[in-house]
Amino acid sequence: MPETARHEQHLAGYGTVAVRPLAPETDARVIHTWVSQERAAFWGMTDLTEAQVAQTYAHMATLDTHHAHLVTKDGEPVALLQTYDPAADRVSVCYEVRPGDIGVHLLVAPAAPGAQRPGWTSALLTVVADYVLRVLDRTRVVVDPDVRNTKAITRFERQGFTTGPEVVLPEIDLPDVYLPEKRARLAFLTRETAFAEATGTV
């Protein structure tokens, strides 16, 4: 089962990206500003208060299978990263989990008004892939964006992910967490593909 670890990586022409464990109480304010926006509707937290966001991630911090991270660029928060063991997640009923798989959810912070950020998300995904595949020593990344989130699906494809089947993630209704049924498009990125893409050998 993956654990959180600190990671820092410099990308030429972009900046220094760092990944660290999310601190629910101190990071909730910035996370709430991201997840409460309509653009983050697929994240499923638009109606939560800041306190509820903090509570959600405080609960996640007690789990051995699901982890939250804050991603920064040159010291400024730029993304929320969640990693999880697919075998302990509802996605496990939708595909055959392999040893070494790791699930990933990534929410990128909104750009400042009028800001142009070509290549921004691709750079962050490059660091995320390095973190989960090398630092956490996993062999394959699994993502499950909502089928309506065509922008995310296209972004993953451009990053080298192989598109998988359309699936229905079942509803989860527990005292500590509720997740509605979700129609998703699975996609996969192996270690070999990720690092071949990074070095331009494919």
Side-chain angles (χ1 to χ4, degrees):
M1 292 179 290
E3 297 181 355
T4 55
R6 294 184 180 274
H7 175 59
E8 188 173 295
Q9 187 173 347
H10 181 74
L11 299 180
Y14 183 76
T16 299
V17 179
V19 181
R20 66 161 173 81
L22 185 76
E25 292 300 325
T26 56
D27 294 330
R29 177 171 295 181
V30 67
I31 298 302
H32 178 254
T33 64
W34 300 346
V35 300
S36 60
Q37 296 188 21
E38 185 60 33
R39 65 182 292 276
F42 294 119
W43 203 258
M45 301 175 75
T46 52
D47 295 330
L48 298 188
T49 65
E50 182 180 322
Q52 288 172 320
V53 169
Q55 183 179 22
T56 296
Y57 287 105
H59 169 69
M60 186 177 292
T62 68
L63 305 178
D64 292 329
T65 57
H66 292 64
H67 304 281
H69 317 69
L70 187 71
V71 183
T72 62
K73 174 185 177 292
D74 298 328
E76 295 296 322
V78 293
L80 169 62
L81 169 66
Q82 293 179 193
T83 59
Y84 62 92
D85 178 0
D89 189 84
R90 61 179 177 166
V91 75
S92 64
V93 305
C94 301
Y95 88 104
E96 185 176 351
V97 179
R98 297 179 187 172
D101 279 359
I102 185 169
V104 163
H105 297 302
L106 181 69
L107 176 65
V108 178
Q116 299 296 318
R117 305 194 305 188
W120 182 279
T121 301
S122 178
L124 292 179
L125 282 171
T126 296
V127 176
V128 167
D130 196 81
Y131 173 64
V132 298
L133 294 172
R134 283 184 169 149
V135 178
L136 299 183
D137 196 26
R138 303 287 120 174
T139 55
R140 187 171 66 156
V141 182
V142 181
V143 295
D144 58 5
D146 191 294
V147 293
R148 296 167 296 173
N149 194 354
T150 55
K151 184 176 180 180
I153 295 170
T154 299
R155 184 181 298 125
F156 286 127
E157 291 173 342
R158 287 201 305 263
Q159 201 71 19
F161 281 73
T162 298
T163 303
E166 181 178 312
V167 299
V168 177
L169 304 183
E171 177 188 54
I172 300 294
D173 191 0
L174 299 172
D176 292 317
V177 62
Y178 173 76
L179 296 172
E181 181 181 273
K182 173 184 173 183
R183 188 169 296 277
R185 172 68 68 182
L186 298 185
F188 306 88
L189 179 70
T190 64
R191 180 185 292 174
E192 292 79 11
T193 298
F195 299 137
E197 290 278 346
T199 57
T201 58
V202 296

